Amino acid sequence: MSRFRSPALFLVLAAVWGAAFMAINAGLEFFPPVLFAALRYDVAGVVMLAYAAYATDAALPRGRAQWTEVAIGAVLLIAAYHVFLFVGQSDPTVTSAAAAVVVSLSPVLTTGFARLFLPSERLTALGVVGLVLGLVGVAVLSELDPANLLAGGTVPKLLILAAAAAFALGSVLARRVDSDLPIETMEAWSMLLGALVMHAASVALGESVASVVLSGEALLALAYLSLAASAAGFLIYFDLLDRLGPVEINFVSYVAPVFAALSGWAFLNEVPSEATAVGFLLIVAGFVLLKRRALAREVGRLGTGATDAE
């Protein structure tokens, strides 16, 4: 295998996932937000289930533990995350870059939740500082004003923060479940059941299919999110997770905002603000503090000349 395959796939994944924030903003011009998210995972779930049937020996979850893991994925990783994200991004003041930066807090929150729910892990003083730095980064990006918490742009960004928290909590709770379900199968069924939950939420919120405006741009946004960002993106993610491990793959969250900003500027004429840049730097600093030991191990591994398995 070429030594450049993993770095190339990493950049492709960051670009695909970063541009997804632009595609969400573009598609929200034509779809109600929660219905849009549900339709995305109707398509992606079917594609992922077909892949799970091809790639694994267990395309159907069995037993309580496996279905519990699927339920956690459906409710938190898919439904809650995307409901909060799409509703937050439906506000015109939220740029693609800003949304991507807030979501990049997810690895920081994951570490915090892990210390809370996984008794074998403990948050050190520097870890607490890292967690606080990440949250301050979101506050700066949201231009949080304690005197006016309902100011334009603040609430939508806090909804996106809730999306990142839902994803982080779901990731940690899924780790607590003693299940040997293949990740491809877990993702496929979580997508399908999560889509059902979002359809129910869409109906409860009074969204209507009649409000959908079908156009070439609308279908292109839906196809990109379903096939490129979700189906193909997760396949690349699984491949890189095996090669790089969970520490290095987390850095996708910090490269994706760059592509979100570039695609938002190129296609939607969005210009990131200074607050977005400062918030991003604070979140990255928080992640480095929280993961300093794991990062040091990775640097040491690279220094010894270790390479990906061929």
Side-chain angles (χ1 to χ4, degrees):
M1 179 188 66
S2 169
R3 60 183 291 193
F4 300 110
R5 177 176 177 179
S6 291
L9 286 176
F10 183 94
L11 286 176
V12 168
L13 181 61
V16 167
W17 279 1
F21 293 94
M22 176 276 298
I24 291 171
N25 274 358
L28 285 170
E29 295 289 329
F30 309 98
F31 296 93
V34 180
L35 178 60
F36 187 23
L39 292 172
R40 169 185 180 177
Y41 281 100
D42 287 336
V43 178
V46 171
V47 173
M48 282 301 300
L49 185 59
Y51 178 75
Y54 165 77
T56 75
D57 297 326
L60 180 68
R62 300 180 186 279
R64 179 177 178 181
Q66 292 188 356
W67 280 111
T68 298
E69 187 176 9
V70 167
I72 291 170
V75 173
L76 291 173
L77 300 179
I78 301 298
Y81 171 71
H82 288 90
V83 167
F84 285 128
L85 177 64
F86 278 56
V87 172
Q89 281 199 247
S90 66
D91 188 287
T93 65
V94 179
T95 64
S96 305
V101 169
V102 176
V103 168
S104 73
L105 183 65
S106 184
V108 177
L109 294 174
T110 298
T111 303
F113 282 128
R115 301 304 194 267
L116 183 63
F117 290 103
L118 300 177
S120 62
E121 304 194 38
R122 182 173 60 88
L123 197 62
T124 64
L126 274 178
V128 172
V129 173
L131 184 60
V132 171
L133 266 181
L135 294 172
V136 169
V138 173
V140 170
L141 186 152
S142 301
E143 301 180 69
L144 194 62
D145 179 4
N148 186 12
L149 292 178
L150 298 181
T154 298
V155 171
K157 289 168 187 170
L158 292 180
L159 287 174
I160 298 173
L161 173 61
F167 192 90
L169 178 60
S171 299
V172 171
L173 293 180
R175 285 167 54 188
R176 286 177 58 98
V177 178
D178 185 16
S179 168
D180 57 355
L181 184 66
I183 192 169
E184 296 89 345
T185 304
M186 190 278 285
E187 288 284 354
W189 284 97
S190 294
M191 287 177 178
L192 291 170
L193 295 181
L196 287 177
V197 172
M198 289 188 286
H199 278 295
S202 176
V203 172
L205 290 171
E207 293 183 348
S208 171
V209 176
S211 63
V212 173
V213 179
L214 286 181
S215 67
E217 188 176 348
L219 294 176
L220 186 61
L222 181 60
Y224 181 85
L225 291 170
S226 302
L227 301 177
S230 296
F234 275 110
L235 293 182
I236 296 173
Y237 174 83
F238 297 147
D239 183 52
L240 287 175
L241 185 62
D242 287 338
R243 298 178 196 281
L244 304 179
V247 175
E248 287 190 52
I249 199 65
N250 265 332
F251 279 101
V252 169
S253 298
Y254 302 106
V255 181
V258 176
F259 289 99
L262 289 173
S263 59
W265 170 75
F267 293 99
L268 303 177
N269 296 317
E270 297 174 344
V271 179
S273 67
E274 291 182 3
T276 299
V278 173
F280 175 68
L281 293 175
L282 288 171
I283 290 170
V284 172
F287 175 77
V288 170
L289 283 177
L290 280 165
K291 291 293 186 180
R292 63 194 182 281
R293 293 192 181 94
L295 291 172
R297 287 195 298 270
E298 292 297 321
V299 170
R301 182 180 69 83
L302 293 174
T304 61
T307 58
D308 295 333
E310 306 223 351

